[in-house]
Each structure stands twice: as structure tokens, then as C-alpha cells.
Amino acid sequence: MSFFRSVSKLSKLRSRLVQQPGLNGSVRWLQIQSASESELDLHSQLKELIPEQQERLKKLKMEHGKVQLGNITVDMVLGGMRGMTGLLWETSLLDPDEGIRFRGLSIPECQKVLPAAVPGGEPLPEGLLWLLLTGKVPSKEQVDMLSKELQNRAKVPDHVYKAINSLPVTAHPMTQFVTGIMALQVGSEFLKAYEKGMPKSKFWEPTYEDSLNLIAQVPVVASFIYRRVYKNGQTVPADASLDYGANFSHMLGFDGPKMQELMRLYITIHSDHEGGNVSAHTAHLVASALSDPYLSFAAALNGLAGPLHGLANQEVLLWIKSVVEECGENITTEQLKDYVWKTLNSGKVVPGFGHGVLRKTDPRYMCQREFALKHLPDDPLFQLVSKLYDVVPPVLTQLGKVKNPWPNVDAHSGVLLNHFGLTEARYFTVLFGVSRSIGIGSQLIWDRALGLALERPKSVTMEWLENYCKKAA
């Protein structure tokens, strides 16, 4: 929360403070901007905040650069650098017990304080974007202004559609999505500015333009792919009267208010998950070479497409449907337990359970469960998911090889989408990609603003490790 508090000092804007109980029962104070007393432009807010954060980073490096953060073990080197503290990622932080916090706010807190489209509804993704970039909770007026700005930026050139159409319609939607993002790259403002020559201190400004353009464009590209693959190419034009999440739902072809609410929730909770996951880290790594946001995000999407990352949401629904096909919708707890063991004994995993960092049930799972209890409590697949929540963790605990037997975000999202008619599981990871653009884009702007270094960790051979361990013994 240090950034969250410090940025409020810099602001010339008067704000109101709202008392919010923390998870441990203590009281936290949230700065909520009053639109009638403040500027509505996001870019001007960043221009004010960035110099202080640059000085903060400079001071941190100068005074504490030699402080050790921990010890590296051979297990970490061989285990995918798991648990190593080695990245600066300002927009969110993942706690093993509490789950994700966006600029210090948990998901339940975000649901309470971020502006919504309807009273008591789900937070608007534009509000989360403002929060991630500034550390401040925006007003409804600021969110509405940002929503209009994103609509104005959501123009996709014809050559992008041509690039996608050059692929077979049978190509995986993620392949088509990456192709579309790469085609957008020819319009990169950062690339143009860099080629003309500009000081490093100004790199954040064209990165801001690219990132906001990209965030605005991805729903258009993603919905085009969905309609191309599953609806005979019959596209649905954007509706300028709708917010970001609702308009995406509309362009996909779903205009029900509950589906629009689900899309707002989905995009918000999938947007960011600190910097160590594959897609976020890949974007940060590629961007550290001064690759523009389009190149960096396309690289992130290629990581997201892997079955151990974003593709898991596809695998969960397919697995759940396989349970129904074999055992029926009215499966008993014992039958379900047997099916889980059957899956594990065949050398496969139960998709949607476990997490690389979390050691409790994913809060993103819980808020989706609450959404289901509110809007679709009698859905057969939701009831099956609820049974899985009771059955799978004890089985995985008995197996003895899983540090976290609890469900993650992917265990629930597919069932919600399926209920409202978006049944095509192969497309789910594209939805994940749309939402992840908000978190990745926000952090890329701060990467440039803070002048973060080219990422270049040290690698070693097995012989080096063996010799080092012999000497240390």
C-alpha cells in the first residue's frame, strides 16, 4: 500500500477518504477521487505521478541496492525459478494466503469501491485500469471518460482482418488472436517515436499510447475471431453507448444484462496476477529489450496459450463435460470421487485445481462462485463444480504430492460462460487474453516510466551446479 498512500500526497486533487475494514479486522483508508474536483484525463494524472515514483526508485536503489532478499537454492534453479524474488511489478501483488491484491486492494474490496455500471453490480474494468495505473480509486465520472476514450481508440485497420482471414478458420483462436495483435503492431506509436529519436525519460508516453490503443483494440479483434470461427463470419458492430465489458459481450453476440455483468467481472479478475506468471513475465521480459507493447503482448499471449497457464480454462470445461457424458448430470459424490481417481490414475491432472503460489482457495474462484449463487444457482454444471469443491481437495491431499489442493480461477469461469451460451471452450483463453491486456499494458507503462533494466538473469550448467554443491558440502 506504500505506493497507494504516496501518490495521494502528490495529487493536487482534493479527495474524500472512505473507511474500509481490512481482512484482518483493522481499518484501512482508501482514497476515492471526486470527479467534480479533479481532472478526468488519465494521461495527465500519470504525468503528475511518474516523477515522484522515479525518484522513489532511484532512492531505493541508491540506499538499499545491496540488501539481500533471500537465498537461491538448487531446487529453485531446477524448478523454473519458482519462488525467487526477482521482478518489480507495481500493479498487483499475490499473497499465498490472501490471493491477489490490485494496488493493495483485494478482489472483494475492489467489488465494493470500484464504480459499477449498475447499483451493487460488478466493477467496471475501466475502473480497474485507472486503479492499476494511478493507485487511486476513480470516480464514476472518471471511469465514464476513460470508457469513451477507449471507444475512440478501438479502431482496427483492415489489414488486421486480412491477416487473420489468411489463416484457416480451423486454426486455434489463440493463434488467430496472436496473428491479429502482430498485425496491429505496424501502427505502434513507440516504434515511430523510437525511430525518430527521443530521450529515455519520455519512453513512457508513446508506450501509454500503444498500451491504451491495444487495450481498446483487443476486444474488437477477439470478437471478430469468435464470430469468424463460430458464427459464419457474421460480425456484430460495436455499440458506443456501452462500457468496455458490456460492449465486448455485445460484439461477441451476447446482449443479456447478466452476461454483460459476467464479462465485467471476468475481465476485472483476470486482468493481473503479479509479474511472475508466464504471460506477465514474458511481456515484461520482451519489453525490457524495448520491444513495443504489441510485440510484448503478443509474446505474452503465446505463453498464455499453454495448457499449464491460460489454456487451463478450456481444459476445465472439457473435463467437466466428460464427467457428465460418462456419469450423467446427477452424479453422486462417490461416483465423482471415483472419476477423479480415475483421472489421476491415468496419469492426468484434474484441471482447475492447484496453483503455483496460492495455498488457499483462489479468491477469483470465490467471487465467481458468489456470482453463480446469485445468478445461476440451479445450473447443473455449477452444481457439479460445487461438488468438485468438496471432493477434489481431499483426494489431492490424500495423494500427497500437491501443495495446494484448492480450486483456482480456471475451475469456475468456463461453467459461467457456458451457462450464458458461450459454450466454445477453445475460445476461452482468448477471453483471458483480452482481460490480461489491462494488467500487462498498465505495467508496461510503468516499466518505461521507471526505466527498468534489460532483464538478463544468470544461467548455469548441471556440471556447474554439481561442482558448486561439492564445494559447499
Side-chain angles (χ1 to χ4, degrees), residues 336-356:
L336 189 55
K337 184 176 180 180
D338 290 342
Y339 194 90
V340 169
W341 275 114
K342 177 182 175 182
T343 300
L344 295 171
N345 290 333
S346 67
K348 300 177 182 178
V349 299
V350 179
F353 284 78
H355 193 275

Side-chain angles (χ1 to χ4, degrees), residues 13-312:
L13 315 174
R14 285 184 298 167
S15 306
R16 61 189 178 91
L17 293 177
V18 175
Q19 198 175 29
Q20 176 73 26
L23 294 180
N24 60 0
S26 61
V27 174
R28 302 167 60 246
W29 291 93
L30 308 180
Q31 184 188 42
I32 301 182
Q33 294 179 260
S34 175
S36 61
E37 303 171 352
S38 69
E39 297 179 56
L40 299 179
D41 180 56
L42 181 59
H43 184 274
S44 64
Q45 296 254 324
L46 281 175
K47 204 164 187 177
E48 185 179 352
L49 296 172
I50 283 172
E52 185 195 58
Q53 296 307 304
Q54 290 172 332
E55 286 302 310
R56 182 183 175 199
L57 182 68
K58 183 178 178 181
K59 181 180 179 182
L60 186 64
K61 187 174 182 179
M62 183 183 302
E63 296 181 1
H64 306 292
K66 303 302 180 183
V67 173
Q68 294 186 357
L69 294 176
N71 296 317
I72 304 302
T73 66
V74 173
D75 277 342
M76 290 177 175
V77 174
L78 300 180
M81 300 191 290
R82 190 172 298 272
M84 292 184 185
T85 300
L87 289 172
L88 180 64
W89 193 268
E90 286 288 277
T91 50
S92 64
L93 184 67
L94 181 59
D95 183 89
D97 295 317
E98 291 185 346
I100 192 65
R101 283 186 174 271
F102 302 120
R103 291 291 192 181
L105 298 181
S106 68
I107 286 177
E109 289 169 339
C110 284
Q111 288 177 296
K112 289 180 181 178
V113 301
L114 288 179
V118 295
E122 301 299 339
L124 290 161
E126 298 94 315
L128 183 72
L129 173 59
W130 189 289
L131 174 66
L132 293 182
L133 278 172
T134 69
K136 301 175 184 177
V137 176
S139 67
K140 182 62 164 60
E141 291 85 353
Q142 288 169 321
V143 169
D144 289 344
M145 185 67 73
L146 179 56
S147 185
K148 291 178 182 177
E149 180 179 352
L150 291 174
Q151 289 171 4
N152 292 333
R153 291 173 177 267
K155 297 176 178 65
V156 174
D158 287 340
H159 73 263
V160 175
Y161 301 121
K162 291 178 181 177
I164 296 170
N165 283 331
S166 69
L167 295 171
V169 73
T170 55
H172 195 284
M174 281 298 284
T175 302
Q176 299 185 47
F177 194 31
V178 173
T179 300
I181 300 304
M182 288 301 297
L184 283 169
Q185 189 270 343
V186 299
S188 169
E189 295 298 327
F190 181 84
L191 178 62
K192 296 173 189 175
Y194 187 82
E195 289 179 343
K196 290 179 181 178
M198 66 182 306
K200 189 176 181 181
S201 62
K202 297 288 186 181
F203 280 178
W204 77 268
E205 297 200 40
T207 301
Y208 173 91
E209 297 300 323
D210 276 352
S211 295
L212 260 68
N213 286 341
L214 177 61
I215 291 167
Q217 291 166 326
V218 290
V220 182
V221 174
S223 59
F224 174 81
I225 293 167
Y226 178 76
R227 303 296 298 185
R228 176 180 189 248
V229 175
Y230 302 110
K231 303 299 177 181
N232 299 316
Q234 298 175 347
T235 57
V236 179
D239 184 342
S241 69
L242 297 174
D243 58 83
Y244 187 88
N247 194 33
F248 183 32
S249 178
H250 165 73
M251 289 188 291
L252 290 170
F254 303 94
D255 285 316
K258 291 183 180 180
M259 180 58 166
Q260 291 178 349
E261 275 288 270
L262 173 60
M263 197 57 67
R264 294 175 186 122
L265 175 65
Y266 185 101
I267 293 172
T268 298
I269 66 174
H270 286 80
S271 62
D272 206 30
H273 215 231
E274 76 166 28
N277 65 76
V278 171
S279 56
H281 184 196
T282 301
H284 176 81
L285 169 64
V286 174
S288 77
L290 291 186
S291 298
D292 62 65
Y294 291 97
L295 295 174
S296 304
F297 184 61
L301 289 177
N302 283 311
L304 192 69
L308 295 184
H309 191 18
L311 198 71

Side-chain angles (χ1 to χ4, degrees), residues 390-451:
D390 295 328
V391 169
V392 176
V395 171
L396 294 180
T397 301
Q398 184 179 342
L399 196 64
K401 298 179 181 180
V402 181
K403 293 182 180 179
N404 173 20
W406 305 106
N408 58 48
V409 65
D410 296 318
H412 217 307
S413 57
V415 167
L416 298 180
L417 295 165
N418 184 82
H419 175 83
F420 293 110
L422 210 167
T423 59
E424 299 85 2
R426 291 180 85 232
Y427 183 78
F428 289 172
T429 313
V430 176
L431 299 176
F432 201 153
V434 171
S435 62
R436 191 47 61 93
S437 69
I438 291 177
I440 286 175
S442 298
Q443 182 59 41
L444 289 183
I445 293 168
W446 278 105
D447 284 356
R448 293 286 191 268
L450 298 174

